[in-house]
Amino acid sequence: MVDKYKIGDSKVLESRESSDGKLIRRRRETLDGKYRFTTYEKIERPPLVVVKKNGTKELFDRAKLSRSTKKSVGKFFESELEIEAILDKVEEYLYDLGEQEVMANIIGEQVLSELLEVNEVAYVRFASVFRKFKSLKEFEQILSERKKGKQ
């Protein structure tokens, strides 16, 4: 049985990085040569801290961002995978900033930026929640801005 061996009791035969660079696949063999197995290593990133408008701080929670995004955009995507792809881009952007702390509004603006690229209705819906629209005039203003941006 392979499970009686420890990783240290094996040698690496081959290593491959995934195309997105987030995972390393290693093909291993026990030192006695009897068993071969594969391990997957995920690259661990340092935790991000979100600084809220009121100054409080909390750890970045992708699941929370996913829930709020799905709730605000409704069913304007064919699958949850599309939303997850958007959130992948947002998360990558946040880590690329190179900062341990990120203002909450930067996260929201980046979600808006990504939504704008793929679905204008979802963009407007998210903007209405994120920017806390209180009147029809605010909707009209964002729609007017979108129309000008298309010309």
Side-chain angles (χ1 to χ4, degrees):
M1 300 271 322
V2 175
D3 59 353
K4 74 177 184 176
Y5 292 95
K6 298 177 191 146
I7 299 287
D9 293 340
S10 66
K11 61 183 176 182
V12 176
L13 301 174
E14 173 189 17
S15 291
R16 289 189 185 180
E17 193 173 298
S18 64
S19 60
D20 61 5
K22 295 179 183 175
L23 201 68
I24 298 172
R25 175 190 175 272
R26 297 197 196 279
R27 191 72 183 134
R28 296 178 174 272
E29 182 177 69
T30 57
L31 294 178
D32 61 12
K34 289 184 179 178
Y35 301 100
R36 288 187 176 192
F37 57 99
T38 302
T39 59
Y40 295 91
E41 300 171 18
K42 183 177 180 181
I43 296 172
E44 194 171 310
R45 294 177 166 176
L48 281 175
V49 175
V50 178
V51 182
K52 298 189 160 228
K53 205 182 295 186
N54 66 6
T56 60
K57 298 177 182 182
E58 65 181 47
L59 288 177
F60 174 75
D61 183 351
R62 182 186 166 113
K64 182 178 176 182
L65 180 61
S66 178
R67 282 189 306 276
S68 64
T69 302
K70 288 172 187 172
K71 191 176 191 179
S72 64
V73 300
K75 300 194 186 247
F76 286 96
F77 292 94
E78 290 183 22
S79 77
E80 288 189 21
L81 294 176
E82 291 176 278
I83 295 174
E84 291 303 317
I86 289 168
L87 297 180
D88 285 344
K89 291 178 183 178
V90 169
E91 194 171 359
E92 194 64 37
Y93 171 82
L94 297 176
Y95 278 105
D96 286 349
L97 292 174
E99 301 291 328
Q100 191 173 4
E101 293 185 356
V102 179
M103 299 297 292
N105 68 314
I106 291 174
I107 298 170
E109 291 296 337
Q110 191 59 32
V111 171
L112 279 172
S113 176
E114 296 298 333
L115 285 172
L116 184 59
E117 298 293 319
V118 294
N119 189 309
E120 287 181 317
V121 176
Y123 167 84
V124 171
R125 284 185 59 133
F126 187 86
S128 72
V129 174
F130 175 63
R131 296 187 178 146
K132 299 178 179 153
F133 288 1
K134 291 179 178 43
S135 71
L136 186 57
K137 186 172 185 158
E138 290 172 298
F139 274 101
E140 291 170 345
Q141 183 178 355
I142 199 166
L143 293 173
S144 174
E145 289 171 9
R146 288 303 319 129
K147 286 179 184 176
K148 287 179 187 173
K150 284 200 151 199
Q151 294 174 354

